[in-house]
Amino acid sequence: MSFQPIFEAQPWDDVKASIYAKTAADVERALAAPRRTLEDFKALISPAAAPYLEQMAQLSHRLTRKRFGNTVQLYAPLYLSNECQNICTYCGFSLDNKIARRTLSSVEMLQEAAVLKDWGYDHVLLVTGEANVTVGVDYLEKALRTLRPHFAHLSLEVQPLDQADYERLIPEGLNTVLVYQETYHRDDYKKHHPKGKKSNFNYRLDTPDRLGRAGIHKMGLGVLIGLEDWRTDCFYTALHLDYLERTYWQTKYSLSFPRLRPAEGLLQPKVEMSDRELVQLICAYRLLNEEVELSISTRESPVFRDHVVKLGITSISAGSKTNPGGYAVAPESLEQFEISDERSPAEIAAMLRRQGYEPVWKDWDATLVGPSR
């Protein structure tokens, strides 16, 4: 099984034209539907849906509370390395950026982990650049073994791996893998990834399939909003999610909405997305899928994050540092991108409580999923 035939059967220009042709009647039909289809999703992300944002927001809030209750999960990224073999036009870690490179040792990982534990975190996202030799499978296995005794939930956002590599890492405590396609526009993808393994569009597109076959507990999807038309890109994310849920139904899924942020050597976004449009997208995903987890990062402003929590978000980062060693070891090293919301985890937790939500620091207990395979 592969997503590629489904993807190829939906040409970009046709999808884009279909989205922009949606009318108010299509939006009203989507809002009234007991179960929404991908065609309904096109209507909900179309320009025609803009006047219906309040109705979408109210419905999204009700659906989220029904499925997830009044809980919001907190997580933090732990950057292990900024070494990278790829050239990416939008990333501070890009190979062509002349920056000091750093990869944490096991001792340094534990120093960083101590800060996160002191803040209350039990859910950590391990992040590296894409450097197969320096931070390949051996390094990732060591990192999982080092940190597993200290956290209940370990996620990875690293280079795409082979199925056998995922099968090797899952017994070491790997629970979740985030892999963003960046953009589903094949030509623009190549323009933004001219060098390195990441330039292989099809290999990256097939990564969720390899994860599903490996039996990963949860995977995260998304695009980097700003590289291409956001509506079209996000339709392909929804199409991908629909395929994955039907094919690997035992796996859980999450979606993220990263907008381009300033970084060393960063290009300007090709397409600007307003705050209202991001709210529209979040609500549209919730109306399409009541089960998927929706995450918002510290890329977004404090005011925006405070308001969007009630509209479908189920997880939120806090206190994030996007540089290796940023919490304790090397606070001044170069960040992958600039943080917008710099409030502490305690401040974010207090904000959630003021809005009637319970901050959840621990995603799940290992005893609930049985012994490692």
Side-chain angles (χ1 to χ4, degrees):
M1 293 290 293
S2 170
F3 175 62
Q4 285 197 37
I6 296 172
F7 171 73
E8 299 294 350
Q10 299 265 8
W12 179 278
D13 290 343
D14 293 351
V15 169
K16 184 176 180 180
S18 176
I19 293 170
Y20 283 85
K22 294 299 183 183
T23 65
D26 295 319
V27 177
E28 292 172 5
R29 189 160 42 247
L31 289 171
R35 183 176 181 184
R36 293 165 193 91
T37 66
L38 287 166
E39 282 300 311
D40 292 328
F41 181 75
K42 286 181 181 179
L44 294 172
I45 61 173
S46 73
Y52 298 86
L53 187 56
E54 181 62 30
Q55 189 176 346
M56 290 175 63
Q58 291 177 7
L59 183 54
S60 180
H61 171 72
R62 290 200 301 270
L63 292 175
T64 305
R65 289 296 290 261
K66 182 180 74 172
R67 168 61 181 83
F68 294 93
N70 65 339
T71 61
V72 175
Q73 182 188 85
L74 284 96
Y75 73 94
L78 199 172
Y79 276 69
L80 301 177
S81 175
N82 62 4
E83 298 192 51
C84 193
Q85 297 170 337
N86 297 316
I87 292 179
C88 300
T89 61
Y90 48 82
C91 182
F93 294 171
S94 183
L95 178 65
D96 56 344
N97 283 342
K98 305 306 179 184
I99 62 171
R101 305 289 174 168
R102 187 184 190 104
T103 297
L104 300 187
S105 67
S106 295
V107 172
E108 291 171 331
M109 292 178 201
L110 292 174
Q111 289 178 274
E112 295 288 287
V115 175
L116 296 175
K117 290 293 290 185
D118 187 58
W119 286 346
Y121 280 114
D122 237 337
H123 179 184
V124 175
L125 170 64
L126 308 181
V127 186
T128 72
E130 299 194 9
N132 294 330
V133 176
T134 311
V135 289
V137 181
D138 290 344
Y139 179 84
L140 297 174
E141 184 178 57
K142 181 179 72 172
L144 290 169
R145 287 179 176 175
T146 299
L147 297 169
R148 183 180 187 181
H150 304 280
F151 296 101
H153 183 133
L154 292 173
S155 305
L156 283 183
E157 186 178 343
V158 300
Q159 70 265 28
L161 304 173
D162 293 339
Q163 179 179 335
D165 296 327
Y166 292 126
E167 291 171 346
R168 174 180 168 186
L169 296 178
I170 289 171
E172 300 298 336
L174 176 60
N175 175 272
T176 301
V177 173
L178 309 186
V179 56
Y180 303 136
Q181 188 61 29
E182 313 298 13
T183 178
Y184 286 87
H185 190 290
R186 190 181 289 273
D187 291 341
D188 270 21
Y189 182 94
K190 182 63 177 177
K191 180 177 71 176
H192 292 299
H193 308 97
K195 180 180 176 62
K197 191 174 181 180
K198 194 171 181 177
S199 64
N200 188 331
F201 179 92
N202 287 340
Y203 184 78
R204 194 168 191 91
L205 189 68
D206 281 340
T207 304
D209 277 295
R210 297 193 298 274
L211 281 164
R213 289 192 294 268
I216 195 69
H217 179 74
K218 183 167 70 178
M219 67 178 86
L221 308 174
V223 294
L224 183 55
I225 295 170
L227 295 183
E228 246 299 340
D229 179 77
W230 68 263
R231 292 181 170 90
T232 311
D233 250 340
C234 291
F235 169 79
Y236 283 108
T237 305
L239 181 70
H240 208 163
L241 174 65
D242 177 72
Y243 157 79
L244 291 167
E245 286 190 323
R246 288 185 285 105
T247 308
Y248 310 105
W249 56 270
Q250 291 177 305
T251 296
K252 295 173 63 178
Y253 298 90
S254 68
L255 297 176
S256 297
F257 320 94
R259 290 193 281 186
L260 277 173
R261 296 289 302 164
E264 182 73 23
L266 181 69
L267 82 166
Q268 292 300 306
K270 178 178 179 179
V271 178
E272 294 280 356
M273 181 194 228
S274 69
D275 285 355
R276 282 183 61 87
E277 288 171 336
L278 181 50
V279 169
Q280 179 184 351
L281 176 63
I282 290 169
C283 294
Y285 274 129
R286 174 59 67 224
L287 269 56
L288 174 68
N289 191 314
E290 297 181 24
E291 299 292 324
V292 69
E293 299 177 14
L294 303 180
S295 178
I296 199 80
S297 78
T298 51
R299 287 175 181 261
E300 302 300 335
S301 71
V303 171
F304 182 83
R305 298 216 308 165
D306 288 2
H307 284 87
V308 82
V309 161
K310 290 188 174 182
L311 303 182
I313 296 302
T314 60
S315 66
I316 186 169
S317 56
S320 303
K321 302 295 182 183
T322 66
N323 47 327
Y327 298 108
V329 176
E332 301 306 316
S333 63
L334 181 74
E335 295 180 321
Q336 186 183 29
F337 57 86
E338 291 182 12
I339 297 302
S340 183
D341 188 347
E342 297 184 347
R343 290 175 293 178
S344 70
E347 289 173 310
I348 296 297
M351 176 272 290
L352 292 173
R353 293 189 186 98
R354 286 195 299 270
Q355 298 201 48
Y357 288 89
E358 177 187 352
V360 176
W361 300 91
K362 185 175 182 179
D363 186 37
W364 53 274
D365 196 288
T367 60
L368 300 179
V369 296
S372 299
R373 290 179 291 179

